Amino acid sequence: MINYNKNKLINQALDKYYDTFAHMLDTTEYVPQSYNDKIGKYIFKNMKRHFKLINKEDRKFQRKFKKELKAKKKKEKPVKSKWSLFRLFKRKKQTTQRERSTD
């Protein structure tokens, strides 16, 4: 099953961080390289944290989705009672000779 929820969240995060990288690359001409390296590390650190949050949200979504599926299956499938097993072993009614002849 393709996980559309996680893909949507990842796309939103990547759009945000690509925009941030674009702004950082514009500053390379007049900002020292050491400062840009620190900013790059900071951005990657935040991106990792954001992906962890995405994974956490996705796990919550998947649990909720599985519970809904179970509830849906349970609702569709009739519940057998514990007495239904006794019907399997119930003695069949024996027909008399007279009843057989009328059939």
Side-chain angles (χ1 to χ4, degrees):
M1 178 174 86
I2 297 174
N3 193 345
Y4 294 106
N5 182 52
K6 188 173 183 178
N7 289 340
K8 185 177 74 173
L9 293 174
I10 288 173
N11 287 340
Q12 288 175 353
L14 288 177
D15 288 342
K16 186 177 180 181
Y17 284 105
Y18 289 152
D19 187 44
T20 306
F21 278 124
H23 289 298
M24 188 183 89
L25 292 175
D26 290 341
T27 63
T28 56
E29 296 172 0
Y30 52 90
V31 175
Q33 185 62 34
S34 61
Y35 189 72
N36 276 334
D37 291 340
K38 288 179 185 179
I39 292 172
K41 287 178 184 178
Y42 178 75
I43 290 171
F44 278 119
K45 183 176 121 182
N46 281 332
M47 194 182 328
K48 284 172 132 180
R49 185 176 55 87
H50 199 80
F51 277 113
K52 285 180 184 178
L53 291 174
I54 288 173
N55 288 335
K56 185 178 179 180
E57 287 297 318
D58 183 57
R59 281 192 301 268
K60 286 181 186 177
F61 176 80
Q62 292 299 325
R63 283 188 207 126
K64 182 181 172 186
F65 184 73
K66 286 178 184 177
K67 282 183 183 180
E68 289 173 359
L69 272 179
K70 281 184 182 180
K72 192 175 183 181
K73 282 185 180 180
K74 191 174 184 180
K75 188 183 272 188
E76 291 174 358
K77 188 175 180 181
V79 178
K80 292 184 177 182
S81 68
K82 63 182 179 180
W83 300 108
S84 64
L85 293 175
F86 290 110
R87 288 188 209 134
L88 296 173
F89 302 109
K90 193 166 106 175
R91 180 178 275 181
K92 293 183 179 180
K93 181 181 172 186
Q94 293 182 351
T95 57
T96 61
Q97 184 70 22
R98 188 180 305 158
E99 290 173 352
R100 281 188 232 147
S101 63
T102 57
D103 288 338

